[in-house]
Amino acid sequence: MDRKAAGHWRLSCDGGARGNPGPGALGYVLYDPAGTVRDERAEYLGTVTNNVAEYRALIAGLQAARRLEVSRLRVQMDSELVVRQMLGVYRVKHAGLKPLHREARRLAAQFEEVEFSAVPRERNHRADALVNEVLDAMGDPVPESPR
């Protein structure tokens, strides 16, 4: 199949941190235009915030799509903040997110077409599950609330 052929690929990505900041992970799933999973990955990130983990997931997924020579991509995430920042609706104010945002924008600019949309967590279930599988395997429990 010509990866540059008509049709949009779909990137579902998620990141999370237990404790925020806390132990974090990323997950992404890349689907071809027929809906077949062509690549997926999960990675432990160490101690990060939720937003850092979300951006790291987006960057990893965009890099994977570039490696597969995808030209048209629909990105779905359950992070409204990251999606709105990528669309330019929200400014990136946090200094720690600015370099991640710049890198994600740089990668996104390499596609012929890229769309971003925020979806409910249940529509992003596979990427979310990848994140939780990694965190569970690392033995990182959900921190208890301070008393």
Side-chain angles (χ1 to χ4, degrees):
M1 174 181 165
D2 180 3
R3 291 180 178 97
K4 294 184 179 185
H8 287 82
W9 288 56
R10 180 169 51 98
L11 173 63
S12 176
C13 49
D14 194 22
R18 293 183 177 168
N20 199 28
L26 67 80
Y28 72 78
V29 185
L30 187 60
Y31 302 88
D32 68 18
T36 303
V37 173
R38 297 300 300 269
D39 189 27
E40 69 177 19
R41 181 171 139 210
E43 179 182 332
Y44 184 72
L45 299 173
T47 300
V48 295
T49 65
N50 281 324
N51 291 332
V52 166
E54 293 279 7
Y55 266 109
R56 295 276 306 271
L58 174 59
I59 290 166
L62 291 172
Q63 290 170 333
R66 290 302 303 147
R67 279 192 303 275
L68 290 174
E69 299 180 1
V70 172
S71 60
R72 295 169 29 165
L73 184 64
R74 290 189 173 122
V75 178
Q76 67 180 40
M77 306 177 70
D78 57 32
S79 172
E80 285 191 37
L81 176 75
V82 172
V83 168
R84 289 181 182 190
Q85 287 176 337
M86 290 302 294
L87 293 172
V89 176
Y90 290 169
R91 287 187 10 222
V92 180
K93 296 178 184 177
H94 191 279
L97 295 181
K98 287 182 180 184
L100 296 169
H101 179 258
R102 275 193 302 273
E103 177 63 6
R105 296 280 301 197
R106 184 189 71 75
L107 289 164
Q110 296 177 14
F111 293 88
E112 179 182 311
E113 184 180 336
V114 64
E115 301 170 9
F116 292 91
S117 62
V119 297
R121 180 168 288 154
E122 47 286 352
R123 286 200 39 220
N124 206 29
H125 60 88
R126 181 63 190 144
D128 180 67
L130 289 170
V131 169
N132 285 301
E133 287 170 15
V134 168
L135 293 176
D136 291 346
M138 295 303 295
D140 291 316
V142 176
E144 290 185 30
S145 300
R147 297 178 190 216

